[in-house]
Amino acid sequence: MAKIPVLEIFGPTIQGEGKVIGRKTMFVRTAGCDFRCSWCDSKFTWDGSMKDEIEMMAAENILAQLRNIGGDRFNHVTISGGNPALIKGLQSFVDLCEANNIRTALETQGSQFKPWMRQINDLTLSPKPPSSGMQQDLPRLDEVILQLDVSRINLKVVVFDDADYDFAKMIHHRYPDIPFYLQVGNPYLEEHVEQHTAKLLERYEQLIDRVTADAEMNEVFVLPQLHTLVWSNQKGV
């Protein structure tokens, strides 16, 4: 059985992003990504800086470690990255969660499809805006969405600037029937940033003001990156 490249297992904590923001969850962070976003807050998953920390794990061992850490204090697991959609071997872990009545969440940029993604309970597709430095392949995103049950997915775009907001609006109108979330970007990625929470809240308020004034964005949700408001850029929470 294929093993899964795991960098971190932690929790219980809360989900800080997307549709399930605030949801109590455990995290399994996988290694590897096909994008290199300029503002990525998890570069260690793909830049080689933590390659010696990667552990190749069977699904049963991941679940055992989740229970060792979280005990009976969870019934929801977020599969994070990097881009977990690169990993075919996650099928066995998703099957195992399903068999144990554990709900799953996943966020991916929509560049890859794996059949096990149809089993994810809370699936977020997060195409990357211009500030990321990446070129989102929209026809490929179309193909990925066509292979999924649209009633079980949502879209999220992170917004740092005007170009990102225009990109977000384009994505929203390209897929008008899929729930759509805007999330304010976090440009303050250093370990210790003075007034970090206040700065993020100011950016969040600016995004709220822009959306509420925009008649073309009446069907959207505007989110902060909740865990950064509480814990700044601390890992493992």
Side-chain angles (χ1 to χ4, degrees):
M1 187 174 293
K3 292 191 175 182
I4 299 159
V6 176
L7 270 170
E8 292 183 300
I9 297 177
F10 61 91
T13 183
I14 58 162
Q15 173 57 255
E17 304 185 354
K19 177 184 176 181
V20 287
I21 190 169
R23 176 68 158 91
K24 183 180 178 182
T25 190
M26 296 288 290
F27 274 85
V28 175
R29 188 183 299 281
T30 60
C33 192
D34 50 337
F35 278 24
R36 299 291 185 267
C37 296
S38 61
W39 36 252
C40 179
D41 59 4
S42 303
K43 288 183 179 180
F44 61 89
T45 62
W46 50 261
D47 68 3
S49 62
M50 290 186 65
K51 63 181 180 180
D52 294 337
E53 304 296 320
I54 298 171
E55 186 175 356
M56 300 303 297
M57 300 182 69
E60 293 79 6
N61 292 338
I62 295 174
L63 182 57
Q65 190 161 335
L66 284 164
R67 286 179 166 157
N68 183 54
I69 297 169
D72 62 355
R73 295 175 291 126
F74 74 97
N75 62 4
H76 187 277
V77 173
T78 298
I79 304 168
S80 186
N83 183 10
L86 294 170
I87 304 170
K88 183 178 180 179
L90 275 168
Q91 180 70 67
S92 56
F93 179 66
V94 173
D95 288 343
L96 192 59
C97 287
E98 206 169 60
N100 284 272
N101 296 313
I102 297 171
R103 292 179 65 85
T104 51
L106 171 78
E107 180 176 314
T108 175
Q109 56 262 48
S111 60
Q112 306 286 331
F113 171 78
K114 295 291 184 294
W116 54 259
M117 290 166 61
R118 297 191 182 108
Q119 297 168 248
I120 298 294
N121 300 106
D122 303 305
L123 178 58
T124 297
L125 300 179
S126 183
K128 303 310 177 191
S131 65
S132 70
M134 297 291 101
Q135 183 68 43
Q136 186 78 39
D137 185 340
L138 294 180
R140 177 58 181 154
L141 180 61
D142 293 341
E143 292 172 8
V144 170
I145 288 174
L146 282 172
Q147 296 179 84
L148 296 167
D149 179 352
V150 294
S151 70
R152 298 184 64 167
I153 66 177
N154 65 93
L155 285 159
K156 188 192 84 176
V157 173
V158 177
V159 174
F160 283 82
D161 55 30
D162 291 347
D164 288 358
Y165 186 82
D166 291 341
F167 175 85
K169 184 182 289 191
M170 178 273 293
I171 291 291
H172 177 42
H173 292 297
R174 188 181 183 94
Y175 311 103
D177 298 324
I178 301 176
F180 188 77
Y181 296 79
L182 286 175
Q183 182 175 294
V184 66
N186 174 20
Y188 314 113
L189 298 179
E190 295 80 11
E191 187 172 349
H192 300 290
V193 178
E194 188 176 349
Q195 297 294 310
H196 189 260
T197 297
K199 290 177 179 178
L200 288 177
L201 284 173
E202 182 179 3
R203 292 176 63 85
Y204 181 41
E205 185 175 5
Q206 290 169 356
L207 183 57
I208 291 171
D209 289 345
R210 182 159 194 174
V211 171
T212 55
D214 190 343
E216 295 183 49
M217 297 291 268
N218 290 345
E219 293 286 339
V220 306
F221 301 83
V222 187
L223 302 178
Q225 198 178 35
L226 185 58
H227 58 287
T228 62
L229 295 180
V230 180
W231 296 294
S232 188
N233 296 321
Q234 184 179 337
K235 284 178 57 183
V237 290

